[in-house]
Coordinates of all heavy atoms in Angstrom, one line a residue:
M213 N -17.2 -29.2 -7.1 CA -17.7 -28.0 -6.4 C -16.7 -26.9 -6.4 O -15.5 -27.1 -6.0 CB -18.0 -28.4 -4.9 CG -18.5 -27.2 -4.1 SD -18.9 -27.7 -2.3 CE -17.2 -28.0 -1.8
A214 N -17.1 -25.7 -6.8 CA -16.2 -24.6 -6.8 C -15.9 -24.1 -5.4 O -16.7 -24.2 -4.5 CB -16.8 -23.4 -7.6
T215 N -14.7 -23.6 -5.1 CA -14.3 -23.1 -3.8 C -13.8 -21.7 -4.0 O -13.2 -21.4 -5.0 CB -13.3 -24.0 -3.2 OG1 -12.1 -24.1 -4.0 CG2 -13.8 -25.4 -2.9
S229 N 0.3 -9.3 -23.9 CA 0.7 -7.9 -23.7 C -0.5 -7.0 -23.7 O -0.4 -5.7 -23.7 CB 1.7 -7.5 -24.8 OG 1.0 -7.6 -26.1
I235 N -13.5 2.0 -18.9 CA -14.2 3.3 -18.8 C -14.3 3.6 -17.3 O -14.6 2.8 -16.5 CB -15.6 3.2 -19.5 CG1 -16.2 4.6 -19.4 CG2 -16.5 2.1 -18.8 CD1 -17.5 4.6 -20.2
R244 N -29.8 17.5 -1.1 CA -31.2 17.6 -0.7 C -31.2 18.6 0.5 O -30.2 18.9 1.1 CB -31.8 16.3 -0.2 CG -31.0 15.6 0.9 CD -31.7 14.3 1.3 NE -30.9 13.5 2.3 CZ -30.9 13.7 3.6 NH1 -31.7 14.7 4.0 NH2 -30.2 13.0 4.4
R294 N -30.7 4.6 -8.2 CA -31.5 3.4 -8.3 C -30.9 2.3 -7.5 O -29.8 1.9 -7.7 CB -31.7 3.0 -9.7 CG -32.2 4.1 -10.6 CD -33.7 4.5 -10.2 NE -34.2 5.6 -11.0 CZ -34.8 5.5 -12.2 NH1 -35.0 4.3 -12.7 NH2 -35.2 6.5 -12.8
L307 N -24.9 4.0 -21.7 CA -23.5 3.6 -21.4 C -23.2 2.2 -22.1 O -22.1 1.9 -22.5 CB -23.3 3.5 -19.9 CG -23.3 4.9 -19.2 CD1 -23.3 4.7 -17.7 CD2 -22.0 5.7 -19.6
R308 N -24.2 1.4 -22.2 CA -24.1 0.1 -22.8 C -23.6 0.2 -24.3 O -22.7 -0.4 -24.7 CB -25.4 -0.7 -22.8 CG -25.2 -2.2 -23.3 CD -26.6 -2.8 -23.5 NE -27.3 -2.2 -24.6 CZ -27.1 -2.4 -25.9 NH1 -26.1 -3.2 -26.3 NH2 -27.8 -1.7 -26.8
A319 N -15.5 -1.7 -16.5 CA -16.1 -0.4 -16.0 C -15.7 -0.1 -14.6 O -15.9 -1.0 -13.7 CB -17.6 -0.4 -16.1
E334 N -23.1 -5.6 -14.6 CA -22.3 -6.5 -15.4 C -23.2 -7.2 -16.4 O -22.8 -7.5 -17.5 CB -21.6 -7.5 -14.4 CG -20.5 -6.9 -13.6 CD -19.7 -7.9 -12.8 OE1 -20.3 -9.0 -12.5 OE2 -18.6 -7.5 -12.3
E350 N -7.4 -3.8 -5.8 CA -6.6 -4.3 -6.9 C -5.2 -3.7 -6.9 O -4.2 -4.3 -7.0 CB -7.3 -4.0 -8.2 CG -8.6 -4.8 -8.5 CD -8.3 -6.3 -8.7 OE1 -7.1 -6.6 -9.2 OE2 -9.1 -7.1 -8.4
F352 N -3.6 -2.3 -4.3 CA -2.9 -2.7 -3.1 C -2.4 -4.1 -3.3 O -1.3 -4.5 -3.0 CB -3.7 -2.6 -1.9 CG -3.7 -1.3 -1.2 CD1 -3.8 -0.1 -2.0 CD2 -3.6 -1.1 0.1 CE1 -3.7 1.1 -1.4 CE2 -3.6 0.1 0.7 CZ -3.7 1.3 -0.1
R379 N -23.0 -13.3 -5.5 CA -22.8 -13.1 -7.0 C -22.2 -14.4 -7.6 O -22.3 -14.6 -8.8 CB -21.9 -11.9 -7.3 CG -22.4 -10.6 -6.8 CD -21.4 -9.5 -7.1 NE -21.1 -9.4 -8.5 CZ -20.0 -9.8 -9.1 NH1 -19.0 -10.3 -8.3 NH2 -19.8 -9.8 -10.4
T415 N -12.6 -18.8 8.0 CA -11.5 -19.6 8.5 C -10.2 -19.0 8.1 O -9.2 -18.8 8.9 CB -11.5 -21.1 8.0 OG1 -12.7 -21.7 8.5 CG2 -10.3 -21.8 8.5
G437 N 13.0 -2.4 21.5 CA 14.5 -2.4 21.3 C 15.0 -1.0 21.0 O 16.1 -0.6 21.4
L495 N 13.5 7.6 10.6 CA 12.5 8.2 9.7 C 11.7 7.1 9.0 O 12.3 6.2 8.5 CB 13.2 9.1 8.7 CG 12.3 10.0 7.8 CD1 11.6 11.0 8.7 CD2 13.1 10.7 6.7
T507 N -12.8 1.3 4.7 CA -12.7 1.1 6.1 C -11.9 -0.2 6.4 O -11.1 -0.3 7.3 CB -14.0 1.0 6.8 OG1 -14.7 2.2 6.5 CG2 -13.9 0.9 8.3
E519 N 3.6 2.4 13.5 CA 4.8 3.3 13.6 C 4.3 4.8 13.7 O 4.9 5.6 14.4 CB 5.7 3.2 12.4 CG 6.3 1.8 12.3 CD 7.2 1.4 13.5 OE1 7.6 2.3 14.2 OE2 7.5 0.2 13.6
E600 N 15.1 22.3 -2.2 CA 14.9 23.6 -1.5 C 14.1 23.4 -0.2 O 13.1 22.7 -0.1 CB 14.1 24.5 -2.5 CG 13.8 25.9 -1.9 CD 13.0 26.8 -2.8 OE1 12.7 26.3 -3.9 OE2 12.7 27.9 -2.5
I602 N 15.0 21.9 2.5 CA 15.2 20.7 3.3 C 16.0 20.9 4.6 O 15.7 20.4 5.6 CB 15.9 19.6 2.4 CG1 15.1 19.2 1.2 CG2 16.3 18.4 3.3 CD1 13.7 18.6 1.6
L620 N 25.3 23.0 27.4 CA 26.5 22.9 28.4 C 27.7 23.6 27.9 O 27.9 23.8 26.7 CB 26.8 21.4 28.6 CG 25.7 20.5 29.1 CD1 26.2 19.0 29.0 CD2 25.3 20.8 30.5
L622 N 31.8 23.0 28.4 CA 32.8 22.0 28.9 C 34.2 22.5 28.5 O 34.4 23.1 27.5 CB 32.6 20.6 28.2 CG 31.3 19.9 28.5 CD1 31.3 18.6 27.7 CD2 31.1 19.6 29.9
L635 N 31.8 13.9 21.3 CA 31.0 15.1 21.4 C 30.6 15.6 20.0 O 29.5 16.0 19.7 CB 31.7 16.2 22.2 CG 31.8 15.9 23.7 CD1 32.7 17.0 24.3 CD2 30.4 16.0 24.3
D637 N 30.3 13.8 17.3 CA 29.4 12.9 16.7 C 28.0 12.9 17.3 O 27.0 12.6 16.7 CB 29.9 11.4 16.8 CG 31.1 11.2 15.9 OD1 31.2 12.0 14.9 OD2 31.9 10.3 16.1
K662 N 20.8 11.6 25.3 CA 22.2 11.3 25.3 C 22.9 12.0 26.5 O 24.1 11.8 26.7 CB 22.9 11.7 24.0 CG 22.4 10.9 22.8 CD 23.2 11.3 21.6 CE 22.7 10.4 20.4 NZ 23.4 10.7 19.2

Side-chain angles (χ1 to χ4, degrees):
M213 178 182 67
T215 57
S229 59
I235 182 171
R244 58 181 172 82
R294 302 297 176 89
L307 290 171
R308 185 192 67 79
E334 286 182 345
E350 291 290 332
F352 275 41
R379 297 180 57 253
T415 298
L495 190 64
T507 304
E519 299 297 344
E600 182 181 358
I602 297 299
L620 301 173
L622 299 177
L635 289 171
D637 288 340
K662 295 185 178 181

